PDB file of all heavy atoms in Angstrom:
ATOM      1  N   GLU A 422      86.302 139.993  86.096  1.00 96.00           N
ATOM      2  CA  GLU A 422      85.123 139.153  86.100  1.00 96.00           C
ATOM      3  C   GLU A 422      85.420 137.630  86.603  1.00 96.00           C
ATOM      4  O   GLU A 422      84.730 137.098  87.374  1.00 96.00           O
ATOM      5  CB  GLU A 422      84.439 138.923  84.741  1.00 96.00           C
ATOM      6  CG  GLU A 422      83.204 138.156  84.869  1.00 96.00           C
ATOM      7  CD  GLU A 422      82.348 138.199  83.547  1.00 96.00           C
ATOM      8  OE1 GLU A 422      82.496 139.184  82.818  1.00 96.00           O
ATOM      9  OE2 GLU A 422      81.523 137.260  83.456  1.00 96.00           O
ATOM     10  N   GLU A 423      86.540 137.148  86.138  1.00 95.00           N
ATOM     11  CA  GLU A 423      86.889 135.925  86.570  1.00 95.00           C
ATOM     12  C   GLU A 423      87.218 135.844  88.084  1.00 95.00           C
ATOM     13  O   GLU A 423      86.805 134.888  88.678  1.00 95.00           O
ATOM     14  CB  GLU A 423      88.310 135.533  85.890  1.00 95.00           C
ATOM     15  CG  GLU A 423      88.602 133.911  85.881  1.00 95.00           C
ATOM     16  CD  GLU A 423      89.770 133.616  85.048  1.00 95.00           C
ATOM     17  OE1 GLU A 423      90.141 134.171  84.080  1.00 95.00           O
ATOM     18  OE2 GLU A 423      90.377 132.530  85.572  1.00 95.00           O
ATOM     19  N   ALA A 424      87.758 136.848  88.623  1.00 97.00           N
ATOM     20  CA  ALA A 424      87.945 136.968  90.003  1.00 97.00           C
ATOM     21  C   ALA A 424      86.647 136.981  90.839  1.00 97.00           C
ATOM     22  O   ALA A 424      86.619 136.220  91.890  1.00 97.00           O
ATOM     23  CB  ALA A 424      88.793 138.143  90.348  1.00 97.00           C
ATOM     24  N   VAL A 425      85.710 137.730  90.253  1.00 97.00           N
ATOM     25  CA  VAL A 425      84.420 137.832  91.034  1.00 97.00           C
ATOM     26  C   VAL A 425      83.864 136.403  91.097  1.00 97.00           C
ATOM     27  O   VAL A 425      83.308 135.936  92.150  1.00 97.00           O
ATOM     28  CB  VAL A 425      83.529 138.845  90.383  1.00 97.00           C
ATOM     29  CG1 VAL A 425      82.079 138.790  90.971  1.00 97.00           C
ATOM     30  CG2 VAL A 425      83.964 140.248  90.515  1.00 97.00           C
ATOM     31  N   ALA A 426      83.840 135.842  89.888  1.00 95.00           N
ATOM     32  CA  ALA A 426      83.241 134.351  89.831  1.00 95.00           C
ATOM     33  C   ALA A 426      83.981 133.449  90.744  1.00 95.00           C
ATOM     34  O   ALA A 426      83.278 132.722  91.520  1.00 95.00           O
ATOM     35  CB  ALA A 426      83.166 133.893  88.424  1.00 95.00           C
ATOM     36  N   ALA A 427      85.306 133.534  90.647  1.00 96.00           N
ATOM     37  CA  ALA A 427      86.084 132.559  91.581  1.00 96.00           C
ATOM     38  C   ALA A 427      85.912 132.853  93.046  1.00 96.00           C
ATOM     39  O   ALA A 427      85.799 131.970  93.886  1.00 96.00           O
ATOM     40  CB  ALA A 427      87.567 132.825  91.190  1.00 96.00           C
ATOM     41  N   ALA A 428      85.858 134.142  93.406  1.00 97.00           N
ATOM     42  CA  ALA A 428      85.771 134.558  94.870  1.00 97.00           C
ATOM     43  C   ALA A 428      84.361 133.920  95.340  1.00 97.00           C
ATOM     44  O   ALA A 428      84.415 133.533  96.505  1.00 97.00           O
ATOM     45  CB  ALA A 428      85.704 136.147  94.969  1.00 97.00           C
ATOM     46  N   ALA A 429      83.376 133.959  94.456  1.00 94.00           N
ATOM     47  CA  ALA A 429      82.164 133.495  94.976  1.00 94.00           C
ATOM     48  C   ALA A 429      82.083 131.945  95.242  1.00 94.00           C
ATOM     49  O   ALA A 429      81.323 131.472  96.027  1.00 94.00           O
ATOM     50  CB  ALA A 429      80.906 133.927  93.949  1.00 94.00           C
ATOM     51  N   SER A 430      83.040 131.301  94.519  1.00 95.00           N
ATOM     52  CA  SER A 430      83.043 129.921  94.679  1.00 95.00           C
ATOM     53  C   SER A 430      83.938 129.371  95.747  1.00 95.00           C
ATOM     54  O   SER A 430      83.974 128.145  96.111  1.00 95.00           O
ATOM     55  CB  SER A 430      83.551 129.284  93.231  1.00 95.00           C
ATOM     56  OG  SER A 430      84.824 129.520  93.069  1.00 95.00           O
ATOM     57  N   TYR A 431      84.811 130.303  96.211  1.00 97.00           N
ATOM     58  CA  TYR A 431      85.802 129.768  97.300  1.00 97.00           C
ATOM     59  C   TYR A 431      85.181 129.910  98.603  1.00 97.00           C
ATOM     60  O   TYR A 431      84.764 130.982  99.075  1.00 97.00           O
ATOM     61  CB  TYR A 431      87.079 130.653  97.291  1.00 97.00           C
ATOM     62  CG  TYR A 431      87.968 130.583  96.256  1.00 97.00           C
ATOM     63  CD1 TYR A 431      88.468 131.636  95.437  1.00 97.00           C
ATOM     64  CD2 TYR A 431      88.602 129.345  95.899  1.00 97.00           C
ATOM     65  CE1 TYR A 431      89.387 131.519  94.457  1.00 97.00           C
ATOM     66  CE2 TYR A 431      89.362 129.131  94.891  1.00 97.00           C
ATOM     67  CZ  TYR A 431      89.862 130.218  94.196  1.00 97.00           C
ATOM     68  OH  TYR A 431      90.897 130.128  93.127  1.00 97.00           O
ATOM     69  N   PRO A 432      85.083 128.730  99.366  1.00 96.00           N
ATOM     70  CA  PRO A 432      84.525 128.855 100.783  1.00 96.00           C
ATOM     71  C   PRO A 432      85.331 129.746 101.716  1.00 96.00           C
ATOM     72  O   PRO A 432      84.877 130.297 102.647  1.00 96.00           O
ATOM     73  CB  PRO A 432      84.570 127.314 101.301  1.00 96.00           C
ATOM     74  CG  PRO A 432      85.417 126.547 100.395  1.00 96.00           C
ATOM     75  CD  PRO A 432      85.581 127.385  99.012  1.00 96.00           C
ATOM     76  N   GLY A 433      86.595 129.920 101.416  1.00 97.00           N
ATOM     77  CA  GLY A 433      87.530 130.678 102.308  1.00 97.00           C
ATOM     78  C   GLY A 433      87.404 132.269 102.063  1.00 97.00           C
ATOM     79  O   GLY A 433      88.019 133.032 102.771  1.00 97.00           O
ATOM     80  N   ILE A 434      86.467 132.639 101.118  1.00 98.00           N
ATOM     81  CA  ILE A 434      86.499 134.016 100.934  1.00 98.00           C
ATOM     82  C   ILE A 434      85.029 134.651 100.992  1.00 98.00           C
ATOM     83  O   ILE A 434      84.111 134.146 100.487  1.00 98.00           O
ATOM     84  CB  ILE A 434      86.767 134.186  99.295  1.00 98.00           C
ATOM     85  CG1 ILE A 434      88.239 133.913  99.012  1.00 98.00           C
ATOM     86  CG2 ILE A 434      86.563 135.760  98.775  1.00 98.00           C
ATOM     87  CD1 ILE A 434      89.340 134.649  99.363  1.00 98.00           C
ATOM     88  N   GLU A 435      85.012 135.840 101.694  1.00 98.00           N
ATOM     89  CA  GLU A 435      83.864 136.490 101.796  1.00 98.00           C
ATOM     90  C   GLU A 435      84.044 137.793 100.935  1.00 98.00           C
ATOM     91  O   GLU A 435      84.917 138.713 101.354  1.00 98.00           O
ATOM     92  CB  GLU A 435      83.366 136.962 103.180  1.00 98.00           C
ATOM     93  CG  GLU A 435      82.077 137.808 103.231  1.00 98.00           C
ATOM     94  CD  GLU A 435      81.915 138.420 104.651  1.00 98.00           C
ATOM     95  OE1 GLU A 435      82.507 137.840 105.729  1.00 98.00           O
ATOM     96  OE2 GLU A 435      81.091 139.251 104.689  1.00 98.00           O
ATOM     97  N   LEU A 436      83.405 137.899  99.746  1.00 98.00           N
ATOM     98  CA  LEU A 436      83.638 139.052  98.815  1.00 98.00           C
ATOM     99  C   LEU A 436      82.821 140.183  99.366  1.00 98.00           C
ATOM    100  O   LEU A 436      81.637 140.311  99.182  1.00 98.00           O
ATOM    101  CB  LEU A 436      83.364 138.628  97.484  1.00 98.00           C
ATOM    102  CG  LEU A 436      83.741 139.691  96.338  1.00 98.00           C
ATOM    103  CD1 LEU A 436      85.211 140.122  96.438  1.00 98.00           C
ATOM    104  CD2 LEU A 436      83.418 139.191  94.985  1.00 98.00           C
ATOM    105  N   LEU A 437      83.627 141.231  99.841  1.00 98.00           N
ATOM    106  CA  LEU A 437      82.882 142.402 100.303  1.00 98.00           C
ATOM    107  C   LEU A 437      82.619 143.452  99.082  1.00 98.00           C
ATOM    108  O   LEU A 437      81.609 144.163  99.165  1.00 98.00           O
ATOM    109  CB  LEU A 437      83.693 143.214 101.359  1.00 98.00           C
ATOM    110  CG  LEU A 437      84.090 142.525 102.598  1.00 98.00           C
ATOM    111  CD1 LEU A 437      84.992 143.365 103.509  1.00 98.00           C
ATOM    112  CD2 LEU A 437      82.727 142.169 103.363  1.00 98.00           C
ATOM    113  N   GLY A 438      83.574 143.486  98.139  1.00 98.00           N
ATOM    114  CA  GLY A 438      83.399 144.539  97.143  1.00 98.00           C
ATOM    115  C   GLY A 438      84.549 144.771  96.222  1.00 98.00           C
ATOM    116  O   GLY A 438      85.531 144.014  96.215  1.00 98.00           O
ATOM    117  N   LEU A 439      84.573 145.829  95.532  1.00 98.00           N
ATOM    118  CA  LEU A 439      85.483 146.268  94.556  1.00 98.00           C
ATOM    119  C   LEU A 439      86.316 147.552  95.058  1.00 98.00           C
ATOM    120  O   LEU A 439      85.713 148.194  95.840  1.00 98.00           O
ATOM    121  CB  LEU A 439      84.814 146.527  93.219  1.00 98.00           C
ATOM    122  CG  LEU A 439      83.967 145.457  92.591  1.00 98.00           C
ATOM    123  CD1 LEU A 439      83.125 145.966  91.491  1.00 98.00           C
ATOM    124  CD2 LEU A 439      84.559 144.128  92.432  1.00 98.00           C
ATOM    125  N   HIS A 440      87.333 147.573  94.469  1.00 98.00           N
ATOM    126  CA  HIS A 440      88.392 148.682  94.854  1.00 98.00           C
ATOM    127  C   HIS A 440      89.127 149.211  93.652  1.00 98.00           C
ATOM    128  O   HIS A 440      89.345 148.478  92.729  1.00 98.00           O
ATOM    129  CB  HIS A 440      89.412 148.127  95.781  1.00 98.00           C
ATOM    130  CG  HIS A 440      90.473 149.117  96.195  1.00 98.00           C
ATOM    131  ND1 HIS A 440      91.571 149.306  95.358  1.00 98.00           N
ATOM    132  CD2 HIS A 440      90.764 149.792  97.308  1.00 98.00           C
ATOM    133  CE1 HIS A 440      92.264 150.235  95.912  1.00 98.00           C
ATOM    134  NE2 HIS A 440      91.821 150.533  97.085  1.00 98.00           N
ATOM    135  N   CYS A 441      89.298 150.545  93.757  1.00 97.00           N
ATOM    136  CA  CYS A 441      90.295 151.056  92.638  1.00 97.00           C
ATOM    137  C   CYS A 441      91.027 152.221  93.149  1.00 97.00           C
ATOM    138  O   CYS A 441      90.607 152.843  94.162  1.00 97.00           O
ATOM    139  CB  CYS A 441      89.529 151.484  91.293  1.00 97.00           C
ATOM    140  SG  CYS A 441      88.474 152.915  91.650  1.00 97.00           S
ATOM    141  N   HIS A 442      92.166 152.529  92.512  1.00 96.00           N
ATOM    142  CA  HIS A 442      93.058 153.658  92.950  1.00 96.00           C
ATOM    143  C   HIS A 442      93.530 154.187  91.597  1.00 96.00           C
ATOM    144  O   HIS A 442      94.377 153.520  91.055  1.00 96.00           O
ATOM    145  CB  HIS A 442      93.973 153.169  94.009  1.00 96.00           C
ATOM    146  CG  HIS A 442      95.009 154.335  94.303  1.00 96.00           C
ATOM    147  ND1 HIS A 442      94.829 155.308  95.045  1.00 96.00           N
ATOM    148  CD2 HIS A 442      96.316 154.477  93.777  1.00 96.00           C
ATOM    149  CE1 HIS A 442      95.800 156.271  95.165  1.00 96.00           C
ATOM    150  NE2 HIS A 442      96.818 155.695  94.364  1.00 96.00           N
ATOM    151  N   ILE A 443      93.207 155.395  91.301  1.00 95.00           N
ATOM    152  CA  ILE A 443      93.513 155.791  89.932  1.00 95.00           C
ATOM    153  C   ILE A 443      94.720 156.761  89.778  1.00 95.00           C
ATOM    154  O   ILE A 443      95.138 157.130  88.607  1.00 95.00           O
ATOM    155  CB  ILE A 443      92.316 156.639  89.309  1.00 95.00           C
ATOM    156  CG1 ILE A 443      91.927 157.814  90.160  1.00 95.00           C
ATOM    157  CG2 ILE A 443      91.176 155.741  89.125  1.00 95.00           C
ATOM    158  CD1 ILE A 443      90.916 158.776  89.425  1.00 95.00           C
ATOM    159  N   GLY A 444      95.463 157.018  90.906  1.00 93.00           N
ATOM    160  CA  GLY A 444      96.572 157.913  90.767  1.00 93.00           C
ATOM    161  C   GLY A 444      96.844 158.778  91.965  1.00 93.00           C
ATOM    162  O   GLY A 444      96.306 158.460  92.992  1.00 93.00           O
ATOM    163  N   SER A 445      97.668 159.737  91.768  1.00 93.00           N
ATOM    164  CA  SER A 445      98.019 160.551  92.932  1.00 93.00           C
ATOM    165  C   SER A 445      98.153 162.078  92.639  1.00 93.00           C
ATOM    166  O   SER A 445      98.186 162.401  91.448  1.00 93.00           O
ATOM    167  CB  SER A 445      99.393 160.153  93.452  1.00 93.00           C
ATOM    168  OG  SER A 445     100.372 160.242  92.498  1.00 93.00           O
ATOM    169  N   GLN A 446      97.936 162.849  93.653  1.00 94.00           N
ATOM    170  CA  GLN A 446      98.204 164.316  93.536  1.00 94.00           C
ATOM    171  C   GLN A 446      97.137 164.883  92.458  1.00 94.00           C
ATOM    172  O   GLN A 446      97.384 165.573  91.579  1.00 94.00           O
ATOM    173  CB  GLN A 446      99.586 164.652  93.070  1.00 94.00           C
ATOM    174  CG  GLN A 446      99.927 166.088  93.012  1.00 94.00           C
ATOM    175  CD  GLN A 446      99.720 166.936  94.281  1.00 94.00           C
ATOM    176  OE1 GLN A 446      99.294 166.342  95.291  1.00 94.00           O
ATOM    177  NE2 GLN A 446     100.044 168.180  94.258  1.00 94.00           N
ATOM    178  N   ILE A 447      95.818 164.438  92.729  1.00 94.00           N
ATOM    179  CA  ILE A 447      94.720 164.637  91.816  1.00 94.00           C
ATOM    180  C   ILE A 447      93.943 165.847  92.448  1.00 94.00           C
ATOM    181  O   ILE A 447      93.580 165.830  93.548  1.00 94.00           O
ATOM    182  CB  ILE A 447      93.770 163.433  91.596  1.00 94.00           C
ATOM    183  CG1 ILE A 447      94.673 162.250  91.036  1.00 94.00           C
ATOM    184  CG2 ILE A 447      92.668 163.867  90.646  1.00 94.00           C
ATOM    185  CD1 ILE A 447      93.798 160.990  91.165  1.00 94.00           C
ATOM    186  N   PHE A 448      93.682 166.881  91.531  1.00 94.00           N
ATOM    187  CA  PHE A 448      92.947 168.068  91.982  1.00 94.00           C
ATOM    188  C   PHE A 448      91.384 168.109  91.585  1.00 94.00           C
ATOM    189  O   PHE A 448      90.629 168.474  92.292  1.00 94.00           O
ATOM    190  CB  PHE A 448      93.537 169.351  91.527  1.00 94.00           C
ATOM    191  CG  PHE A 448      94.773 169.672  92.218  1.00 94.00           C
ATOM    192  CD1 PHE A 448      95.808 170.465  91.427  1.00 94.00           C
ATOM    193  CD2 PHE A 448      95.300 169.184  93.347  1.00 94.00           C
ATOM    194  CE1 PHE A 448      97.089 170.748  92.058  1.00 94.00           C
ATOM    195  CE2 PHE A 448      96.446 169.410  93.912  1.00 94.00           C
ATOM    196  CZ  PHE A 448      97.425 170.125  93.225  1.00 94.00           C
TER     197      PHE A 448
END
Side-chain angles (χ1 to χ4, degrees):
E422 178 168 349
E423 199 178 328
V425 169
S430 72
Y431 287 128
I434 297 287
E435 179 189 346
L436 184 58
L437 296 178
L439 309 174
H440 171 285
C441 70
H442 173 75
I443 60 168
S445 60
Q446 188 57 0
I447 302 164
F448 291 156

